[in-house]
Structure formats: structure tokens, C-alpha cells
Amino acid sequence: PMPPLRTTDYLEHMKAAARSLGWKPFHSPAAINSVPRHGRGSCGYHGYCDRGGCHLRAKNSTCFSTIPEALKTKNLTIFDRAQVTRVVSDNHGRVTGVQYIRDDRDYFQPAKAVLLGSYTYENVRLLLLSKSKAFSNGLANNHGQVGRHYFGHWDAQAGVGVNALFPMDLNVWYGAILSQGVVIDEWADDSFDHAGLGFIGGASMTVNTERHPIAAAATETFGHAPMWGSKWKAWIHENAGRTVSAYLQANSFPYENTYLDLDSEVKDPLGDPVIRVTSGPKENERLAAIYAQDKMEEWFKAAGATAVKKANPGGPRLSTHTYGGTRMGDNPETNVADRWGFAHEAPNLGLLGGSVFGTSGARNPTLTIQALAWRAADHLIKSWKSIAG
Ligand SMILES: Cc1cc2nc3c(=O)[nH]c(=O)nc-3n(C[C@H](O)[C@H](O)[C@H](O)COP(=O)(O)OP(=O)(O)OC[C@H]3O[C@@H](n4cnc5c(N)ncnc54)[C@H](O)[C@@H]3O)c2cc1C
Ligand code: SF4
């Protein structure tokens, strides 16, 4: 419903280069207001919201969007500073509520239905911790599927990034992170012919307008100067504003030997086991990443870059985009959640978040997570009697 965030000289330059290669660049879809909307202002393009909130309330967050609307209905009560420690179930396999701690006191909150949305790692941990007579291996885990099919997203943080050096200042110091960017999708998903390539999937490639001074000062020197001392300082002084990074996100998949379980040794402050992540590099994603990195190099060079450096794809372990562990699917033998996001084995338990994903596209996950949450909520309302009893 809103136009893209505003463009910049650098983005226009990269768009022209992409078009010269016959590609079709487009502006990133963004969950940031580009124009005033619903009583909230538009983006100020001053950056620094990558790992923090937006004090102009332009960046969408449930704190500004959904939660205030839900509070207005007077049907929502929020218990802040509350940590759920167990989801409780009865002998018939139905959940009856949650145990939680608030200000050092234990409480039980009864519920006709529980929607668990505590992010992939904690969704899985809470299910595995929540044992009962009906679920001796953890809630909704009688088929041993909780924690399976876990995977992290292969992206720039997993060593898929590409850096470039240009002969001119790019002026990309401030912006709205990757949202104020330009994307190439030609080498993602099934958008291209994979014959003879030896991998499935691919990667999206994004260039964007935000490179903070400290990140720029930590840039590599592309073999033109040492990484320390006065020669390094002189090179950074001259070139920091001429370096830029691209963000590549690969299609990522689950494997038999990537999974989550409870750690046998490490415990949290309450004495409960922390989640243990078993993961590592996979050949398919590595090949897809290398292929996309070569395309990114082509794009940078078409734009006039004088040097390009590609990261060594190492594969994700922990990730800010994590998937699986309570996978969604019709077969209860191999999936924890049904097609609506409710547990096959505990029908009044809804599972929200990336933990229900079976694979990941070459995209950020959160809009899909939100869409699935709306879908699960709609289903709960329509099927309230059969789900909640
Ligand atoms: C730095 C960073 C940048 C990112 N950038 C992007 C991006 O550009 N685009 C994108 O699509 N995604 C991005 N992501 C991923 C995105 O943040 C997640 O996909 C999204 O937040 C998942 O939503 P969620 O509601 O499932 O989980 P969360 O947003 O993690 O919400 C879970 C909530 O549950 C609470 N909780 C956890 N355990 C308990 C417990 N035991 N008891 C009570 N409460 C509990 C947590 O406090 C939290 O409030 C980024 C993530 C990070 C860290
Ligand atoms: S750049 Fe980020 S912090 Fe600044 S207004 Fe835009 S979304 Fe908000």
C-alpha cells in the first residue's frame, strides 16, 4: 500500500548496472513507513535502527502496530516481565495453561488454548521441557519430531557476503538498512535454469544505503594496504567511503543431522537445560552461495568496482533467522504442527514463528511469520469450539 523507501544515487547507479546485465532490479519491500500511515510518521532515513527500535515509530513493530490495536479491544492483558517455564497438559493430551515466573514468584495461568510464539529456540526448548503423563518425551513429541528439521539461514552473517571497492565516494553513510535497498532475484529459488550446476535453490542479492563509519573503518583493504599501522590508517582515510557490502541470502534447507535438543550439561539460571544446536555447513547451500557470489561480483564490476572480495561460505550455526523444530505438515509422523500451526498431538496448542517453516526462501522470514500467525489466529477463531472445547 505504500511506495518504496526513497532511492539514492548509489542505488540508482547499481540499478543501471544491473539493467546493463539484462537483470531486473527492484526496491526492497520494507516494513517501514515510506509515507505517514495509521497515525505514524514516515522514515527519517537516519539509520541506526538495524539492531534497535525506531524512535520515529516509522519502522513497524508489534509495539506500535498490533498490540495497541489489540489493547483497545480490552480483550488483551499483558503480563510483562513474565517468563513461561512450562506448558502444562492433562492426561488426555490437551494443554491446560502455562506455568510462569514473575518477580521471583511462580504462577499458573489456565487457558483453553495456548499460542506459543517464543522464537524457534525457546519454542522447542519449552516443548521439550514440558513433560507430562501424556507426553513423557516432551509436549507434542510422542513422534520424536520436536527439535528435528532445524536449520539457520545462510546469509551474509554465515559468510555469504561480498565486499567491493569503488573509485569514487558512494555516500552511503545513513539510510534505512537493507530496507532502503535494491534487490536482484534472478539467481534465487527456481528463477533460473539449474541444469549442470549441482545444487538447488540460490540466493537473493541486496545492495543498500547504510554503512556506518565503524563498519567502514573495519573494511578490508583489498590487498592494497596492511590491516594495521599508518599505511592502514591512510588507506582507510582515503577509501572507507568507497567500500560497500552486498547482502546475499540463500535458500536454506533442513537436514537429518541438523537439529535442536536439550543440552545435557549447560543449564539456565533456573536450573533448566539450555537448548543445544547441532548444525554446520552443507554442500548444497555452499555451492548456491558461491554461484550467487560470482553473480554479485559481476554486478559490482558492471557498476565500476575496482576490487571485489567474497567471503568464504561457512554455513550457519546460530542465526537471527532460524527455522524448524516444530515443522508444519499434514503427516503427524514427521511434523509437529498441522497446516494451521496447531500441534497434531495437542490440538489446542498453536505454534507460531519460524519453528514451523519446512525450508526457507532466499528472503527474510518475518512477513511470512506474521502471515502464518494471522492465519493461525483466524483458524482458532473459526474453529474455537472444536479447538478450545
Ligand atoms: C539483529 C536482527 C535483525 C533482523 N532483521 C530482520 C529483517 O530485516 N527482516 C526479517 O524478516 N527478520 C529479521 N530478523 C528476524 C526477526 O527478528 C524474527 O524473524 C522475528 O522477530 C521472529 O518473530 P517471533 O515473534 O517468532 O519471535 P520474537 O520476535 O523473538 O518474539 C518472541 C518473544 O517471546 C518472548 N519469550 C521468549 N521466551 C519466553 C518465555 N520463556 N516466556 C515468556 N516470553 C518469552 C521474547 O522475549 C520475545 O518477546 C532479525 C533478527 C535480528 C536479531
Ligand atoms: S532510518 Fe530506521 S530509525 Fe530512522 S526513521 Fe527510518 S526506520 Fe526509523
Side-chain angles (χ1 to χ4, degrees), residues 57 62 123 147 213 257 294 344 389:
R57 303 195 310 153
T62 45
N123 275 4
N257 57 2
D294 289 347
H344 284 292

Side-chain angles (χ1 to χ4, degrees), residues 88-136:
V88 182
S89 56
D90 65 18
N91 290 346
H92 309 290
R94 294 184 59 78
V95 299
T96 55
V98 296
Q99 273 176 15
Y100 68 93
I101 295 181
R102 194 173 192 227
D103 298 334
D104 294 327
R105 287 186 61 188
D106 290 314
Y107 296 88
F108 174 69
Q109 174 63 49
K112 291 190 167 174
V114 170
L115 297 175
L116 191 60
S118 56
Y119 197 60
T120 296
Y121 297 122
E122 186 72 347
N123 275 4
V124 169
R125 192 175 84 111
L126 279 174
L127 293 189
L128 293 176
L129 286 173
S130 299
K131 295 181 179 168
S132 66
K133 218 170 179 182
F135 298 110
S136 57

Side-chain angles (χ1 to χ4, degrees), residues 59 63 81 99 150 171 196 222 249 297 308 331 354 382:
K59 186 165 88 165
C63 296
R81 307 185 321 282
Q99 273 176 15
Y150 164 81
N171 196 21
F222 299 87
Q249 286 201 106
E297 179 173 18
V308 174
N331 185 351
K382 283 182 196 140

Side-chain angles (χ1 to χ4, degrees), residues 198-209:
F199 64 85
I200 58 171
S204 64
M205 311 190 300
T206 304
V207 292
N208 71 303
T209 306

Side-chain angles (χ1 to χ4, degrees), residues 42-338:
S42 54
C43 183
Y45 302 100
H46 51 4
Y48 299 101
C49 51
D50 187 4
R51 273 152 179 75
C54 168
H55 53 286
L56 295 187
R57 303 195 310 153
K59 186 165 88 165
N60 278 272
S61 151
T62 45
C63 296
F64 303 137
S65 54
T66 334
I67 291 174
E69 289 300 312
L71 283 171
K72 276 188 213 159
T73 67
K74 301 200 186 304
N75 290 325
L76 172 67
T77 306
I78 296 174
F79 294 90
D80 60 359
R81 307 185 321 282
Q83 182 181 348
V84 171
T85 52
R86 297 289 185 275
V87 182
V88 182
S89 56
D90 65 18
N91 290 346
H92 309 290
R94 294 184 59 78
V95 299
T96 55
V98 296
Q99 273 176 15
Y100 68 93
I101 295 181
R102 194 173 192 227
D103 298 334
D104 294 327
R105 287 186 61 188
D106 290 314
Y107 296 88
F108 174 69
Q109 174 63 49
K112 291 190 167 174
V114 170
L115 297 175
L116 191 60
S118 56
Y119 197 60
T120 296
Y121 297 122
E122 186 72 347
N123 275 4
V124 169
R125 192 175 84 111
L126 279 174
L127 293 189
L128 293 176
L129 286 173
S130 299
K131 295 181 179 168
S132 66
K133 218 170 179 182
F135 298 110
S136 57
N137 291 322
L139 181 55
N141 193 30
N142 287 341
H143 288 88
Q145 295 302 304
V146 174
R148 303 218 67 87
H149 312 116
Y150 164 81
F151 59 104
H153 210 162
W154 285 63
D155 59 10
Q157 288 153 358
V160 185
V162 180
N163 300 323
L165 174 66
F166 281 83
M168 68 286 196
D169 286 344
L170 298 170
N171 196 21
V172 292
W173 298 117
Y174 294 99
I177 41 173
L178 290 163
S179 313
Q180 196 186 5
V182 163
V183 189
I184 289 294
D185 252 1
E186 267 85 345
W187 315 108
D189 311 304
D190 287 334
S191 311
F192 59 106
D193 186 355
H194 287 69
L197 293 178
F199 64 85
I200 58 171
S204 64
M205 311 190 300
T206 304
V207 292
N208 71 303
T209 306
E210 185 176 330
R211 185 150 168 86
H212 297 165
I214 291 174
T219 182
E220 59 184 291
T221 53
F222 299 87
H224 294 309
M227 290 300 288
W228 55 277
S230 52
K231 283 190 179 155
W232 170 76
K233 281 187 196 163
W235 194 89
I236 290 292
H237 184 73
E238 180 76 14
N239 292 289
R242 300 175 176 189
T243 62
V244 76
S245 298
Y247 188 72
L248 273 55
Q249 286 201 106
N251 294 85
S252 308
F253 304 100
Y255 293 86
E256 276 294 312
N257 57 2
T258 58
Y259 57 90
L260 301 174
D261 62 2
L262 295 178
D263 197 284
S264 52
E265 290 172 20
V266 184
K267 305 227 183 303
D268 72 7
L270 298 175
D272 285 326
V274 301
I275 202 74
R276 179 168 62 181
V277 180
T278 301
S279 182
K282 297 293 170 200
E283 192 58 6
N284 182 81
E285 283 82 339
R286 197 181 73 83
L287 291 175
I290 289 170
Y291 187 78
Q293 285 180 325
D294 289 347
K295 295 292 178 189
M296 192 63 235
E297 179 173 18
E298 210 180 325
W299 188 10
F300 272 142
K301 289 208 164 146
T306 53
V308 174
K309 202 86 182 272
K310 297 173 274 191
N312 187 17
R317 291 165 189 88
L318 296 172
S319 173
T320 56
H321 301 175
T322 56
Y323 309 103
T326 70
R327 189 173 70 168
M328 175 186 279
D330 286 339
N331 185 351
E333 309 258 324
T334 53
N335 299 286
V336 178
D338 68 14

